[in-house]
Amino acid sequence: MAGIELQRLLRPAIAHPSESSAASYDRLSAWAGDLTALHALTGRLARTTELTEALYEVVRAGAELIGARRGFAVLQPADGRGPDIRVGYGIGAAELGALETVPRASTSYGRILDAPAAVRPADVCRPDLTAEDGLHPRHRDVAGRLGYAAGYAVPLAATAPPGPGQPDQGGMAQPGQSGTGQPGAGRPGTGRPAAGRPEPAATLLGAVEWLYDEPARPTDRRRRTAGLYARHAGEHLARLLDLTRARTAADGVRAALLPARLPRVPGARVAVRHRTGPLGGGDFYDVLPLPDGALGLAVGSAGGGGPAAVAAMGQLRAGLRAYAVMEGEDPVAVLSDLELLMRLTEPARRATALFAYAPPGRRSIVVAGAGHCPPLVTGPWRTEYAETSLSAPLNMLTCWEAPSVTIDPAPGETVLLYTDGLLTRTGRPAEQAMTRLAHAAATAPADVRDNPEALTDHVLARLLPAAGPGDGDGNGDGHPEDVVLLAVQLTG
């Protein structure tokens, strides 16, 4: 089981040679059962992909391990970069708010988070809050109102790999246990770190505290098992924290590179929905008022994911805007120049793009695509894909070129432009996904079909139910592919 050392878990079971064979067998069987439980719980934790989801699972699993009914986790990374998150299990939002009113110095998690690293306790066990001398009156009041009488807390930390001369984690003391395996400095409630050899450097991420309805303390066995689980949880949370921070940074850059809002364009109604994958991708869109009252529309995708794809997307979109202003009436020329720009600046990257030009008067749309999905035209009388020519993605061939096509939407018809992520996220082959997309648009109620905003929400909800309606960036169902869906209805 990743992150959990079998010999460290089983040491208490085999360190009693004076016991009878039956007693040793029972002890070993009990710890084997604990190992099985840890395997199942850490596997379940490993399947979480969001910080809030993972924190909830940590509290839930820990409550199962130590025999508590409820608890909460506080994520507060020691580097001060956030995010700060509180998650409760068996505790509502109002109860979490009440717990926050308790002076931090009086709380168990506060004793962990605010302690210097050298003296940070391995755990904090408070078996009977009502009997504690000097308990803060506010703490006593909140405990009485919420109905808890005891608490147990452990830190959540990511441990760096041991360097030369450092012991491995097998020699680290566990909650309630010294480095020799005997009860010692880590006794519950002492507030002192467990004895034993020094631990490798760890980054404190937060703490988790479980609450008991009656005075109680977890047994040494339960504490040891919970401590092992908390170690694994800390490593998993550290990975999710890095991912969340990278995603937040990429989202900030992407938000600066994409339109904050769509422009109001006379003679056209436009709506867009953009959903990003967990790593952040290079999908983009644009709506450009062009000279003489013309209109330019673009969707595309820079290959790859993460910050590099976002940066490439910004360059791609900026180049497309410049070429559209200069020669937007010829979509093929726009994409040809864009391909030349990519060959000079991003020779190793591939991209798809579609550019559409609606001339003044707006009763037609001229479209050119580079490796892109065909537009879908939908209205009261038809729902069909525009017949575009097959073409290679940008930067794929020595010289890109493909003919443009003209779409003549009738009054009341809407043209849908989209990236391939919309099809990929369905989990179906491309042809089946395109059939589902056309069916979703064709079966939209009349009032929805006549409203680009409502139509985009309807299509997303039908194709990607987990993502749901609503605009703006979001992680949707956690699929790695970005999605852009742009709808335009020409009103003359």
Side-chain angles (χ1 to χ4, degrees):
M1 177 170 46
I4 294 181
E5 300 82 350
L6 178 61
Q7 63 173 356
R8 179 148 49 97
L9 181 63
L10 293 180
R11 185 184 298 127
I14 60 179
H16 299 270
S18 61
E19 287 185 335
S20 66
S21 299
S24 296
Y25 179 82
D26 291 343
R27 184 184 295 273
L28 183 60
S29 297
W31 279 96
D34 291 341
L35 178 62
T36 301
L38 279 171
H39 184 279
L41 293 175
T42 53
R44 179 167 173 166
L45 177 63
R47 291 190 290 272
T48 60
T49 58
E50 300 291 335
L51 276 174
T52 301
E53 177 191 14
L55 287 169
Y56 179 86
E57 175 59 23
V58 169
V59 186
R60 187 206 66 78
E64 178 180 330
L65 289 173
I66 69 165
R69 188 174 62 86
R70 51 184 168 166
F72 62 95
V74 178
L75 184 72
Q76 192 175 84
D79 60 11
R81 296 168 52 200
D84 293 353
I85 303 174
R86 289 175 182 256
V87 175
Y89 169 71
I91 296 176
E95 293 173 313
L96 276 177
L99 289 168
E100 289 186 41
T101 67
V102 177
R104 188 172 169 114
S106 180
T107 65
S108 300
Y109 72 88
R111 294 182 181 182
I112 292 173
L113 297 181
D114 297 339
V119 294
R120 181 175 300 128
D123 61 351
V124 175
C125 183
R126 305 172 78 173
D128 190 352
L129 288 171
T130 59
E132 283 191 15
D133 294 332
L135 184 67
H136 194 282
R138 180 58 184 168
H139 196 169
R140 191 179 303 275
D141 176 63
V142 170
R145 287 196 291 114
L146 300 187
Y148 68 91
Y152 179 69
V154 297
L156 296 171
T159 305
Q166 285 183 303
D168 65 12
Q169 292 183 6
M172 291 164 52
Q174 298 299 305
Q177 176 189 339
S178 73
T180 62
Q182 301 299 322
R187 294 295 300 179
T190 63
R192 301 196 307 270
R197 288 180 286 177
E199 296 190 7
T203 300
L204 185 64
L205 303 177
V208 57
E209 180 173 353
W210 296 279
L211 306 177
Y212 293 92
D213 296 343
E214 302 291 338
R217 75 164 72 228
T219 63
D220 284 351
R221 173 183 159 190
R222 285 182 178 270
R223 292 172 59 205
R224 191 178 298 110
T225 307
L228 289 170
Y229 179 79
R231 287 174 180 269
H232 180 88
E235 302 298 335
H236 182 68
L237 289 170
R239 291 189 290 269
L240 292 184
L241 180 62
D242 288 342
L243 181 60
T244 299
R245 287 173 170 174
R247 185 188 307 158
T248 300
D251 287 346
V253 174
R254 186 184 300 105
L257 294 175
L258 293 174
R261 62 180 62 87
L262 297 181
R264 292 183 176 273
V265 182
R269 302 167 66 195
V270 186
V272 69
R273 298 294 182 264
H274 181 208
R275 308 205 181 279
T276 61
L279 296 179
D283 284 18
F284 69 91
Y285 60 91
D286 218 335
V287 178
L288 300 168
L290 297 176
D292 302 321
L295 174 65
L297 303 164
V299 295
S301 177
V310 174
M313 174 269 287
Q315 295 180 2
L316 199 64
R317 176 174 174 268
L320 189 147
R321 289 172 69 91
Y323 299 136
V325 170
M326 294 187 294
E327 50 192 4
E329 68 279 359
D330 185 355
V332 172
V334 171
L335 294 184
S336 295
D337 288 343
L338 191 62
E339 197 268 344
L340 176 60
L341 176 67
M342 283 198 65
R343 274 197 285 131
L344 295 175
T345 61
E346 293 276 352
R349 190 176 296 276
R350 305 291 180 261
T352 64
L354 183 146
F355 180 70
Y357 174 80
R362 293 190 180 83
R363 289 273 36 110
S364 64
I365 300 176
V366 183
V367 178
H372 212 76
C373 308
L376 178 65
V377 182
T378 183
W381 304 281
R382 65 167 176 164
T383 295
E384 61 186 30
Y385 288 97
E387 295 185 4
T388 56
S389 300
L390 292 175
S391 60
L394 298 176
N395 222 11
M396 181 70 76
L397 303 178
T398 303
C399 181
W400 177 90
E401 187 171 353
S404 61
V405 297
T406 300
I407 302 173
D408 298 303
E413 290 186 333
T414 301
V415 180
L416 299 179
L417 312 178
Y418 52 95
T419 56
D420 59 1
L422 181 63
L423 305 179
T424 305
R425 281 204 187 194
T426 65
R428 306 292 182 88
E431 289 187 3
Q432 293 183 20
M434 292 178 68
T435 300
R436 291 189 62 192
L437 171 59
H439 182 265
T443 56
D447 58 331
V448 171
R449 191 186 306 117
D450 193 49
N451 183 339
E453 294 280 350
L455 181 60
T456 52
D457 285 340
H458 171 83
V459 169
L460 282 181
R462 292 292 299 273
L463 259 66
L464 313 174
D471 57 355
D473 286 348
N475 295 327
D477 56 3
H479 196 284
E481 291 283 344
D482 281 17
V483 171
V484 168
L485 177 60
L486 178 65
V488 57
Q489 187 180 89
L490 302 181
T491 59

